[in-house]
């Protein structure tokens, strides 16, 4: 479970100067929210050794999904335009992920607070049930820590980066680390699809929510792997 010292460390990250408060280019919160039902699976209760903040690159995810009803909030443009959005905050346990630990129901008012951070109510509800229940007693705590970590990040211009010659996964790591005091490239996982398009960043934290080097399964593409970034604008 999240301890007060770890939570304080997250607050310290959020106190860094010149912080971008959101990665959404634009975002409008809905007036009313319904919490989707999530079917739980078999629990996997393991000791927590660290955390991963998984950030999806929305322009790539939304390519060919602009007319998808399932993805309308994120991809239609009617609720906003998004850059990096939170896929999930995951507790880690070395070689595996703690999952489905069981917890309290999520109030709609709490889910709504994260819809500019992660513009998919189904995803938020599932991430709480699957991952959050293994690191916090209440969904409000899990969602608040997610917002603190996310809003404590500074974002380099990924549209500009997408135009760099000979772009690689290592370039993406370096550009992100250079923009964020305390971060270093080895703590930034980069997930590319089979054609080399950027899908996700996976930021690796220790138990105190401070950056740590990613292990092999979270590090993703090698530094010399050629990369492309879909701008979607």
């Amino acid at each position: 479970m999240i301890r007060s010292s770890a939570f304080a460390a997250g607050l310290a990250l959020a106190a860094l100067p010149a912080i971008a408060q959101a990665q959404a280019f634009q975002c409008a919160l809905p007036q009313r929210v319904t919490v989707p039902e999530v079917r739980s699976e078999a629990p996997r209760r393991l000791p927590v050794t660290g955390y991963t903040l998984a950030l999806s690159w929305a322009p790539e995810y939304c390519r060919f999904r602009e007319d998808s009803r399932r993805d309308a909030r994120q991809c239609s443009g009617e609720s906003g335009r998004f850059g990096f959005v939170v896929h999930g905050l995951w507790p880690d346990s070395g070689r595996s992920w703690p999952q489905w630990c069981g917890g309290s129901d999520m109030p709609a008012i709490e889910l709504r607070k994260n819809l500019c951070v992660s513009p998919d109510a189904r995803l938020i509800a599932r991430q709480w049930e699957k991952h959050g229940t293994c690191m916090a007693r209440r969904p409000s705590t899990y969602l608040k820590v997610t917002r603190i970590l996310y809003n404590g990040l500074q974002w380099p211009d990924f549209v500009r980066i997408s135009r760099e010659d000979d772009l690689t996964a290592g370039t993406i790591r370096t550009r992100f680390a250079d923009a964020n005091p305390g971060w270093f490239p080895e703590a930034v996982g980069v997930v590319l699809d089979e054609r080399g398009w950027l899908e996700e960043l996976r930021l690796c934290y220790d138990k105190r929510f401070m950056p740590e080097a990613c292990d092999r399964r979270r590090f993703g593409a090698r530094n010399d792997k050629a990369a492309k970034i879909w701008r979607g604008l």
Side-chain angles (χ1 to χ4, degrees), residues 101-112:
C101 294
S104 58
D105 293 337
M106 177 178 292
I109 191 172
E110 295 296 335
L111 186 151
R112 181 179 181 273

Side-chain angles (χ1 to χ4, degrees), residues 2-233:
I2 297 173
R3 298 182 178 179
S4 58
S5 60
F7 188 68
L11 286 172
L13 283 175
L16 291 170
I19 286 171
Q21 289 302 314
Q23 173 61 11
F25 299 124
Q26 304 168 354
C27 180
L29 288 172
Q31 291 297 316
R32 295 162 60 171
V33 174
T34 300
V35 180
E37 292 185 8
V38 177
R39 182 176 299 177
S40 295
E41 300 179 17
R44 186 192 301 163
R45 297 184 179 91
L46 299 167
V48 175
T49 59
Y51 302 93
T52 301
L53 183 65
L55 301 164
S56 298
W57 179 239
E60 174 62 30
Y61 176 81
C62 290
R63 186 159 36 157
F64 312 122
R65 288 187 172 96
E66 293 87 349
D67 299 323
S68 166
R69 292 184 61 186
R70 166 67 177 79
D71 301 294
R73 175 168 176 78
Q74 183 172 177
C75 300
S76 70
E78 295 179 2
S79 298
R81 296 288 182 181
F82 301 91
F84 279 105
V85 296
V86 174
H87 176 175
L89 176 60
W90 307 333
D92 187 38
S93 186
R95 297 183 179 181
S96 189
W97 309 97
Q99 295 180 353
W100 307 106
C101 294
S104 58
D105 293 337
M106 177 178 292
I109 191 172
E110 295 296 335
L111 186 151
R112 181 179 181 273
K113 293 177 183 178
N114 275 47
L115 281 174
C116 282
V117 171
S118 182
D120 185 330
R122 290 182 181 84
L123 180 62
I124 294 173
R126 181 174 173 82
Q127 291 297 301
W128 159 246
E129 294 289 348
K130 184 175 182 179
H131 299 288
T133 55
C134 297
M135 57 181 284
R137 292 184 176 86
R138 297 180 298 175
S140 59
T141 303
Y142 173 71
L143 294 176
K144 184 175 183 179
V145 171
T146 301
R147 291 195 303 274
I148 287 172
L149 295 176
Y150 179 83
N151 288 332
L153 299 172
Q154 300 185 65
W155 299 100
D157 185 349
F158 274 86
V159 173
R160 179 188 60 77
I161 293 169
S162 73
R163 296 189 173 97
E164 291 191 27
D165 294 334
D166 302 318
L167 182 64
T168 64
T171 307
I172 293 171
R173 288 189 173 93
T174 300
R175 298 291 179 268
F176 179 88
D178 287 348
N180 287 273
W183 283 89
F184 50 97
E186 293 78 12
V188 182
V190 176
V191 179
L192 307 176
D193 71 9
E194 65 278 2
R195 296 172 297 162
W197 292 99
L198 175 64
E199 290 187 331
E200 194 161 89
L201 297 182
R202 294 186 176 177
L203 306 184
C204 299
Y205 297 85
D206 64 16
K207 290 181 68 174
R208 299 177 301 122
F209 287 100
M210 301 303 291
E212 70 169 3
C214 298
D215 55 27
R216 182 178 299 178
R217 67 194 172 92
R218 292 183 293 170
F219 189 75
R222 302 186 314 272
N223 281 331
D224 60 356
K225 179 72 172 178
K228 297 177 287 186
I229 302 174
W230 180 257
R231 293 187 287 273
L233 297 174

